[in-house]
Each structure stands twice: as structure tokens, then as C-alpha cells.
Amino acid sequence: MAKKLKFIFCLIFFMVAMLAHNQASSNLLPASQLKPMGNNQMYGATQGSLQPQECAPRCTSRCSKTSFKKPCMFYCQKCCAKCLCVPPGTYGNKQVCPCYNNWKTKRGGPKCP
């Protein structure tokens, strides 16, 4: 009986993990939906492609679905000021902006939302 319970628990855990992974993956934009610039870069999504005054609207869009808007906006604008890029979408897609993706906290977690 204990083996059956252990098996069922593992199966449920696996299904929940897969569901969470699929949910996170669905928020990522495919490369085909990114808008290329004339010089083959992604405008606003590659390092140095934004002007400082463009950070606020990009961060507003990036933080639009979070329930923690104030800290999201604070860190997004801080990251945008340093990197001059904000990844597209509301979650993920950080691979298109390496500076935004690689800036870490003291504990090693991501600094940029």
C-alpha cells in the first residue's frame, strides 16, 4: 500500500510540475513575434537599443500583469536605465537582453523582472 501511495504522489508531483512548466512556457514569445529593426536587431529588446525616456512605457507593459507593480516598476526601470533594453512580453524572454538577464542580486537571484 505504501508503494502505491508513493507512486501516486510522484505521479501527481510530476503532473503539477509539467503543468507549471507549460504555464511558464506559454508566456514566452517565439522569435517570430519579435519585431526586427533595420540593422537586424530587436528594437527595445537588445542591449542599448532604447533611449532612457522609453524605459517607463516598456516597464509599464512588462509589469502590467504582476500584483507587485511598485517593486516590478522600480527594478525594471533600474535595469532598463543600465541595460537600455526591456525584454518583450510580461514574463520571460530575457534571453534577448543579456545584460537584463545576467544582472543578479547578492544572493544570485535575478535582479530584473
Side-chain angles (χ1 to χ4, degrees), residues 1 9 11 15 18-19 23 42 66 72 76-77 80 88 95 98-99 101 105 107-110 112:
M1 184 69 172
F9 177 74
L11 185 62
M15 291 173 65
M18 290 300 294
L19 181 64
Q23 182 67 26
M42 303 301 184
T66 183
C72 182
C76 181
Q77 289 181 340
C80 183
Q95 72 278 7
C99 169
N101 190 33
T105 63
R107 292 183 172 180
C112 305

Side-chain angles (χ1 to χ4, degrees), residues 12-27 91:
I12 290 171
F13 179 77
F14 177 74
M15 291 173 65
V16 169
M18 290 300 294
L19 181 64
H21 175 73
N22 288 341
Q23 182 67 26
S25 299
S26 68
N27 291 328
Y91 179 81

Side-chain angles (χ1 to χ4, degrees), residues 44-107:
T46 55
Q47 188 168 337
S49 63
L50 284 180
Q51 297 296 319
Q53 64 270 19
E54 295 175 295
C55 288
R58 293 286 179 137
C59 287
T60 299
S61 174
R62 179 83 177 166
C63 297
S64 64
K65 290 189 177 180
T66 183
S67 56
F68 304 101
K69 291 211 186 320
K70 209 170 189 177
C72 182
M73 286 294 292
F74 176 81
Y75 286 107
C76 181
Q77 289 181 340
K78 189 172 187 163
C79 294
C80 183
K82 178 182 178 184
C83 303
L84 293 177
C85 64
V86 175
T90 57
Y91 179 81
N93 302 308
K94 291 182 180 183
Q95 72 278 7
V96 298
C97 183
C99 169
Y100 197 95
N101 190 33
N102 297 332
W103 199 12
K104 305 293 183 194
T105 63
K106 291 177 185 176
R107 292 183 172 180

